[in-house]
Every structure is written in C-alpha cells, then in structure tokens.
Amino acid sequence: MKRFEWYERIHALDAEHDCERIVRILSGHEFPWDIEQALGLALYRTYAVPSIGELLARTKEFTARTQYRYDDTALILSDILEHGFGPGRGRDALRRMNQMHRSYGIGNDDYRYVLSTFVVMPVRWLNDLGYGWRRLSDHEIAAQTNYYRKLGRHMGIKDVPETYAGFRELFDSYEREHFAYTDGGRAVSDATLDLMTTFYPAWQRPLIRPFTRALLDDHLIEAFGYPAPSRAWRTLSRTALRLRAKAVRRMRPREEPRMPAQSPNIRSYPHGHDPSRIGTFPRGCPVPHGMATVEIPGTDTRVPAPGQERAPGR
C-alpha cells in the first residue's frame, strides 16, 4: 500500500455524503494517535469554561472516577464513529450520551462550544501547529466539519455553525469571553493530568506533566492558574512532536484501522462493554433493566456496579 493511498481514497469520496467514512479513515488509518491527542485536548480545554468545569467537579466523575470518566467518553464517541448514527451500537451510544447530558440542564451555548472544540482542535494540532505527518486538506476539513454538524443535530444542538470558519470563530470567541479560573475547573484539570501520567512508563512520568503543560496556550494556562511553562519546555515539547511527525511520514500506511476504543489507555472494561450500560445515571435517568448500580457518594448519581458493563450472557 502506498503512503498516500488513503489520501487518494478520501478525495474520491464526497465531503458531505461520505463524511462518516472519511472521518473513520482519518481517525483509524491516517492519524489515529494525533486525533486521539487532539480530541483529548479538546475536551480538556472545556474545563476552563466555568459552567462546564464546575459542573464536572460537582459530579465527582473526573475527580473520584477519573479513569472511568475518560474511558466512558472515549468509548461512547468511538462507538458512534465506528458504527454510525443508524440503528445499532452507534445509536445506542448516542442515546446513552444524550441521556447523561440531558440530566444536567446544560445550556445550548456550552454544547455549541464543546462541539466546536472537536472540529477545531484536530486542525489546530495537525495543520496550525505542524504535529501531523501531513496537513489536512480543505476537503478533509469540510468532511470533518460535516460529521460533527451531523453529530450536533443528533444531540439536539441548535444553531450549529455551517462551516469550519464558523466553528473556528465560535471556538475563539467563546474562549475569549468565558475562560476563567474556578476551583472546580482546576480540580478537574489536575485529576486529568494525574491520570495522563499513568499512561506512560514510571521513568517517564515526572516529565509528562511539564511536557503536557508546555503544549497548552497561555490563555488556557492562565485560566487554570498554572505557572507559565518555561521557554525550554515549550521548545522541547513542540520539537519532539514535530520530529515524531517526520518519523511517521516515513512509515508504512496503516492498513488495519486503529479505532479509539483500541487505545491501551482505556482500561476500565477489559472484557468489553455495552454502550447502553456505561457512564453515569443521574437521578431520573433510566437504568437498563436488571443492571445493578452504586451511588457516587455526595451526589445524586449512580454508576454501574463492577461487572455490569455487559448484559448477562453476553
């Protein structure tokens, strides 16, 4: 298989009608690691919006069950991406995500902002910062935009931007207007960084936190109340990722997809999962018949009991 064969296949597809197929190729074949990092940072940025960071802190999901919260988010989004929006596993995952979100009274503007991070951050990572082995084309950016517009419609989000430029404007303006320090946002950020260090060998862990902070822009650093990274760490982190990109460019293309659910960082459900049986079940949220749950102390939220992530007999 030639290095640019997937690129050629993508550009033979329609950016609107085939957007799901294109995003699966980008996420599973062309940039599996890069898009995983970019979307992780996309969600991480949202903690700096007070209404989002404080809500996540109150649920205690990111501070008391950080690995589970990371895994549930990644697996639900991965099931939607891999299986699509039609009947089946993808729709089950979409329904589970909507059930959780609707239990918290999240405002439409916050939904729109979070959606914009999914659209913008992969482009920023791969193109603007130069961390990808190649740049995304306008055709690929349009397909990705169309995919997340479709996701937004299925989530019931109103006034979703129609173009990448519209998402970028929303992303930038929302952060200018809303980023601010809160104790809750900082607590969720600290818990997430603590989890990230466990993804690497023990000898690397002291380096992961300063390396990761050096990848954050000044506006985000300020919103979390972190000290500004040194110029040396800034240079080291960015240079390392650009060198990695050059090395990846010389590798053979990935013929078998590596979907987000295959990440070794997802560790909560080694025997598999049913998307309708993971995540949180706040008060009033329907629980699958026969599924045992336990309450998160200090909240009105229940989560699946150990071993309940799959239906009996499956």
Side-chain angles (χ1 to χ4, degrees):
M1 189 176 193
K2 297 179 181 178
R3 191 67 181 99
F4 282 85
E5 189 166 329
W6 285 117
Y7 177 91
E8 293 168 358
R9 293 188 191 184
I10 287 170
H11 287 78
L13 299 171
D14 183 80
E16 183 170 0
H17 183 266
D18 301 314
C19 64
E20 293 179 47
R21 171 64 174 154
I22 292 172
V23 173
R24 278 194 289 269
I25 293 173
L26 293 173
S27 299
H29 295 274
E30 290 287 74
F31 307 103
W33 185 85
D34 293 284
I35 289 180
E36 180 183 342
Q37 306 311 306
L39 293 182
L41 284 173
L43 287 170
Y44 178 80
R45 296 187 74 83
T46 67
Y47 311 160
V49 175
S51 55
I52 298 174
E54 289 290 282
L55 172 61
L56 293 173
R58 287 197 302 274
T59 67
K60 299 188 178 181
E61 274 285 278
F62 270 100
T63 52
R65 302 177 72 251
T66 315
Q67 180 73 63
Y68 277 99
R69 185 63 171 81
Y70 175 90
D71 294 354
D72 292 346
T73 301
L75 290 172
I76 285 173
L77 291 173
S78 179
D79 280 334
I80 296 170
L81 172 63
E82 186 172 358
H83 300 284
F85 299 102
R89 191 178 181 93
R91 182 170 292 179
D92 290 346
L94 179 65
R95 184 182 299 113
R96 181 81 274 271
M97 180 173 68
N98 285 338
Q99 287 174 341
M100 288 186 283
H101 287 163
R102 289 168 184 164
S103 299
Y104 292 110
I106 302 168
N108 191 69
D109 285 346
D110 279 352
Y111 277 125
R112 292 173 72 236
Y113 166 65
V114 174
L115 191 66
S116 80
T117 68
F118 293 165
V119 176
V120 172
M121 285 304 295
V123 181
R124 176 174 287 186
W125 180 277
L126 296 167
N127 289 17
D128 301 347
L129 297 172
Y131 298 156
W133 67 268
R134 68 169 177 84
R135 294 172 58 86
L136 289 174
S137 68
D138 290 343
H139 180 76
E140 291 166 325
I141 293 172
Q144 178 179 275
T145 301
N146 289 329
Y147 174 80
Y148 284 109
R149 292 188 72 244
K150 183 180 288 191
L151 176 61
R153 290 196 298 271
H154 282 283
M155 293 175 66
I157 304 174
K158 300 180 178 67
D159 301 320
V160 173
E162 296 184 1
T163 64
Y164 175 75
F167 274 108
R168 185 63 179 258
E169 171 57 29
L170 168 62
F171 176 92
D172 289 335
S173 63
Y174 208 75
E175 292 191 346
R176 283 195 304 269
E177 294 171 16
H178 293 87
F179 267 15
Y181 177 86
T182 61
D183 290 340
R186 172 62 182 262
V188 174
S189 172
D190 287 342
T192 302
L193 291 177
D194 288 342
L195 175 66
M196 289 177 61
T197 64
T198 71
F199 297 160
Y200 298 88
W203 67 270
Q204 293 181 5
R205 291 175 186 173
L207 306 175
I208 298 304
R209 187 181 288 269
F211 185 95
T212 302
R213 284 185 185 171
L215 296 176
L216 309 180
D217 55 83
D218 293 339
H219 194 192
L220 191 57
I221 287 286
E222 182 179 348
F224 287 135
Y226 291 137
S230 68
R231 180 177 297 180
W233 272 111
R234 290 281 200 203
T235 301
L236 174 64
S237 62
R238 294 170 180 175
T239 300
L241 289 174
R242 288 167 183 157
L243 288 174
R244 176 194 172 275
K246 291 181 179 180
V248 172
R249 187 179 179 88
R250 290 169 172 78
M251 294 179 180
R252 293 176 58 83
R254 181 181 292 274
E255 296 189 36
E256 294 297 321
R258 178 187 178 277
M259 300 307 291
Q262 297 172 289
S263 170
N265 298 334
I266 297 176
R267 301 175 286 200
S268 299
Y269 311 113
H271 305 297
H273 72 286
D274 179 334
S276 65
R277 298 173 69 92
I278 63 174
T280 60
F281 294 86
R283 183 184 295 274
C285 189
V287 177
H289 178 72
M291 189 180 81
T293 62
V294 295
E295 185 174 344
I296 301 176
T299 73
D300 288 329
T301 298
R302 305 190 72 82
V303 295
Q308 296 294 301
E309 62 271 11
R310 298 173 68 185
R314 292 189 180 181

